[in-house]
Amino acid sequence: MISFSSVSKRYENGHQALANLSFDVDEGELVFLTGHSGAGKSTLMKLIMLIERASAGQVVIAGRNLNRMRRGQIPYHRRQVGVVFQNHQLLFDRSVYENVALPLNIAGFQSREVGRRVRAALDKVGLLDREKANPITLSGGEQQRVGIARAVVNKPPLLLADEPTGNLDPELSAEIMNLFRRFNSFGVTVMIASHDIALIRSLNHRVISLAKGQLAHDGLLPQEQGG
Amino acid sequence: MARSDSSGKGAVHSKTSLTDKVRSYWLHHRSSLLGSLMRLLSTPGQTLMTTLVVAIALALPATLLVSLSNIQQLGDSWDASPKVSVYLNLRARDAAIEQLLERLQKLPEVADVQYLSSEQVLADFQRLSGFGEALEALEDNPLPATLIITPGLAAVEPEALKRLGDKIAGEAIVDEVSLDMEWVRRLRELMVLGKKIVAALAALLALGVLLAIGNTIRLAIENRRDEIIIAKLVGGTNGFVRRPFIYIGGWYGLMGGALASLLVAAGFWIIQDTVARLALLYQSDFQLDTLGIGGTLKLIGLGTLLGWLGAWLAVGRHLAQIEPR
């Protein structure tokens, strides 16, 4: 599903964010992405989203080589990748329902189908009763769940999450992570960037660690060791 | 994953067929059309200001153009029947005048000859000029008897008319011949000049409309920056993001055009009575030309086009700069 081979990314200001990075994530996997801030987690996700392009190497997502993707195709690529942001990126001038419906409206679903899918997505994150609320009236955890509902409403085969629990307390964080694991159990490939090592260790999934833009660790985290 | 054959380009969510896509395309056009109108109506103050700017910029050249067409109509109505005024010698005898009349009526260039005796001329002059009392103080009538000649088809051209005038001027009892053509020609030239000036002015004001709407759209884009970024993050095409703003520009132009039509109509309604009185004084059946339905539709159409174009230019310039980071 995700394939990086010898990927480097150097920004225009000379900062080398990723250096010769190679890894693969199969369909249906759940992978955590860790590393200190500045280690290249965000850049890696931006490359998958085509917000940035690799300076060298190949990024292939679901068989599509992103290096060769033209600008006009980018929107259609992004519809195949659900993204959850740390700061939610919700619009406060419209209801929860309308926020979640946005990707469907963009992709051109008919309104009846939109309603069905939005309610299904809100049901999965446990916010079915809040569809008419304005997201600003919701708690941080609820806002994040709205963001997740929006990311999965289009049933993308790949789900990215950038520090989805960054601002949440441990209990809420565990809840959010369980949501992601449920989506993963339906076959969705999930990649979660997080620096919450304790939580990641407790979930026991594959972990890709970056350090200074290079692969520092790939595999399960050894248990009962300091992170 | 269930869909393991998803190595193709966009096959993963093939639930939207082509007809669905066309349908949703038009649906989004409709929702952009209505949504942008709602958005404009939700900020009536700002909407009114921009609409007024557009309306004034459109109303000014429209007013000038309609005024010019009125002046042209005035000129044309004279032009259609250019007259030759023949002033006879004060001492000309009635018999000589009678003979001249007969001779003139036989000329092929002459369609009609109207004889005004010096008494009639005086009476007309007293009635129209307002110098009534002053003229009564005169012992003799200073005004000559006058022949008003309507040229026939043979003398429609200015040169032919000039030759006719010269011929009549050679008559013994004719003091002076005046051709009514000169001022019509001058008016025509002035009209050409006027139209050029209005065209230049209209072009400048159209540019003003483009800039005003462009600037308004730029602000609207700036205000909705977050929305644009999120829409692009979840797969919104440039067209999807652009559409609502283009419609906003169209609405501004449409409303500005409609308001401009109202302004022009109101202006001509106000001067209508004055023009009618003036026409009466000149014994004319002159009818004031207004925009009319065709002109109103053209003005609204032009406004909409300018608004759409202004928005299109602004969106092209500013939307490309807003990309997710």
Side-chain angles (χ1 to χ4, degrees):
Chain A
M1 175 56 75
I2 304 174
S3 172
F4 275 56
S5 45
S6 309
V7 173
S8 295
K9 173 65 188 176
R10 182 191 281 275
Y11 285 100
E12 275 173 24
N13 62 12
H15 173 62
Q16 182 87 30
L18 295 176
N20 201 22
L21 180 66
S22 299
F23 69 90
D24 285 286
V25 175
D26 291 334
E27 284 186 30
E29 265 195 282
L30 192 158
V31 186
F32 284 105
L33 188 63
T34 68
H36 296 292
S37 51
K41 303 194 293 288
S42 294
T43 299
L44 194 155
M45 294 211 157
K46 282 176 184 171
L47 290 180
I48 297 175
M49 289 289 292
L50 266 180
I51 293 171
E52 297 288 350
R53 282 182 189 265
S55 314
Q58 304 280 320
V59 180
V60 179
I61 305 296
R64 298 185 295 269
N65 188 329
L66 301 194
N67 295 34
R68 284 195 240 119
M69 195 167 277
R70 284 179 284 116
R71 279 180 71 88
Q73 292 176 300
I74 292 176
Y76 303 97
H77 165 67
R78 287 187 185 151
R79 290 176 197 181
Q80 308 291 315
V81 184
V83 188
V84 178
F85 304 92
Q86 179 176 7
N87 53 1
H88 324 312
Q89 298 271 32
L90 299 178
L91 293 167
F92 294 133
D93 64 345
R94 58 197 72 190
S95 66
V96 166
Y97 178 96
E98 287 165 314
N99 267 283
V100 177
L102 185 66
L104 299 178
N105 291 332
I106 285 173
F109 282 83
Q110 291 178 31
S111 57
R112 201 185 319 148
E113 181 74 358
V114 171
R116 205 180 60 74
R117 287 205 181 197
V118 170
R119 294 202 174 87
L122 283 174
D123 190 30
K124 278 180 201 149
V125 300
L127 286 173
L128 194 52
D129 53 335
R130 307 303 300 271
E131 64 171 76
K132 289 195 180 67
N134 185 308
I136 208 161
T137 62
L138 304 181
S139 70
E142 286 172 324
Q143 287 184 3
Q144 192 54 284
R145 274 145 64 196
V146 175
I148 294 169
R150 186 183 62 193
V152 301
V153 72
N154 208 7
K155 298 187 181 168
L158 174 61
L159 185 58
L160 302 181
D162 191 4
E163 301 282 358
T165 63
N167 301 322
L168 303 179
D169 61 47
E171 202 176 320
L172 280 173
S173 299
E175 231 174 76
I176 296 289
M177 288 301 183
N178 276 329
L179 260 178
F180 285 120
R181 293 173 84 185
R182 276 198 29 223
F183 288 119
N184 177 242
S185 71
F186 295 136
V188 180
T189 311
V190 182
M191 175 180 263
I192 304 168
S194 175
H195 54 250
D196 191 343
I197 297 296
L199 183 62
I200 291 171
R201 194 184 300 279
S202 73
L203 294 172
N204 203 27
H205 282 279
R206 178 181 166 193
V207 174
I208 294 175
S209 284
L210 297 180
K212 291 175 184 168
Q214 287 176 313
L215 196 62
H217 170 92
D218 187 357
L220 295 176
L221 279 187
Q223 297 292 318
E224 298 166 88
Q225 254 188 343
Chain B
M1 278 195 67
R3 304 186 200 89
S4 54
D5 58 339
S6 62
S7 54
K9 273 183 190 135
V12 179
H13 75 203
S14 54
K15 280 216 162 181
T16 46
S17 67
L18 186 65
T19 44
D20 278 349
K21 274 183 180 164
V22 172
R23 214 180 106 97
S24 81
Y25 175 80
W26 289 115
L27 270 177
H28 187 245
H29 267 286
R30 202 178 69 180
S31 72
S32 300
L33 180 74
L34 297 177
S36 57
L37 181 62
M38 290 301 144
R39 210 168 261 277
L40 287 181
L41 294 180
S42 70
T43 54
Q46 203 223 321
T47 302
L48 187 66
M49 293 296 273
T50 306
T51 306
L52 260 181
V53 170
V54 175
I56 291 169
L58 288 175
L60 202 56
T63 308
L64 289 174
L65 270 182
V66 175
S67 304
L68 274 184
S69 98
N70 272 307
I71 296 171
Q72 178 146 43
Q73 184 206 343
L74 212 55
D76 286 350
S77 68
W78 259 286
D79 199 13
S81 55
K83 298 279 200 294
V84 180
S85 302
V86 180
Y87 304 110
L88 301 177
N89 193 295
L90 279 173
R91 287 190 295 278
R93 279 171 302 153
D94 286 354
I97 296 173
E98 203 71 33
Q99 280 178 359
L100 178 61
L101 259 176
E102 269 175 38
R103 244 179 302 145
L104 286 179
Q105 267 159 351
K106 280 177 195 150
L107 286 177
E109 301 99 314
V110 174
D112 186 46
V113 183
Q114 192 192 356
Y115 172 66
L116 295 171
S117 70
S118 56
E119 289 78 22
Q120 277 173 298
V121 173
L122 182 66
D124 277 356
F125 189 65
Q126 278 178 319
R127 188 163 52 83
L128 292 173
S129 68
F131 288 127
E133 286 175 18
L135 289 168
E136 268 166 31
L138 295 171
E139 287 175 16
D140 294 324
N141 181 357
L143 299 171
T146 306
L147 300 178
I148 309 286
I149 297 174
T150 306
L153 287 174
V156 165
E157 289 300 311
E159 287 73 25
L161 199 63
K162 185 101 175 37
R163 278 199 298 278
L164 176 64
D166 290 346
K167 193 193 277 181
I168 297 169
E171 294 284 341
I173 59 166
V174 171
D175 262 4
E176 201 183 336
V177 174
S178 126
L179 303 176
D180 274 1
M181 277 303 290
E182 276 310 303
W183 75 273
V184 171
R185 283 227 299 266
R186 288 192 196 118
L187 185 68
R188 267 198 194 151
E189 287 308 310
L190 279 175
M191 290 293 301
V192 172
L193 180 67
K195 275 187 178 160
K196 280 182 181 164
I197 292 173
V198 170
L201 194 68
L204 275 179
L205 288 166
L207 190 67
V209 170
L210 285 184
L211 292 178
I213 288 186
N215 196 46
T216 307
I217 297 296
R218 185 182 62 81
L219 287 176
I221 290 173
E222 220 36 62
N223 283 338
R224 293 169 71 181
R225 197 185 187 89
D226 291 348
E227 188 182 339
I228 292 168
I229 287 178
I230 291 173
K232 285 195 172 180
L233 276 176
V234 297
T237 56
N238 281 330
F240 181 90
V241 176
R242 198 185 294 140
R243 227 161 276 148
F245 297 105
I246 304 268
Y247 274 109
I248 287 181
W251 280 118
Y252 272 129
L254 180 83
M255 294 192 292
L259 191 58
S261 308
L262 280 179
L263 287 177
V264 174
F268 278 101
W269 183 75
I270 288 170
I271 63 163
Q272 184 175 272
D273 286 349
T274 317
V275 169
R277 270 203 303 278
L278 207 59
L280 203 65
L281 284 178
Y282 278 96
Q283 293 175 304
S284 159
D285 56 352
F286 175 72
Q287 287 281 316
L288 190 62
D289 247 0
T290 55
L291 265 184
I293 294 178
T296 304
L297 289 180
K298 269 186 210 160
L299 193 57
I300 294 177
L302 183 73
T304 311
L305 188 71
L306 282 176
W308 176 84
L309 190 63
W312 196 79
L313 292 173
V315 162
R317 260 177 59 95
H318 299 287
L319 221 48
Q321 295 165 8
I322 301 180
E323 283 288 338
R325 291 267 174 266

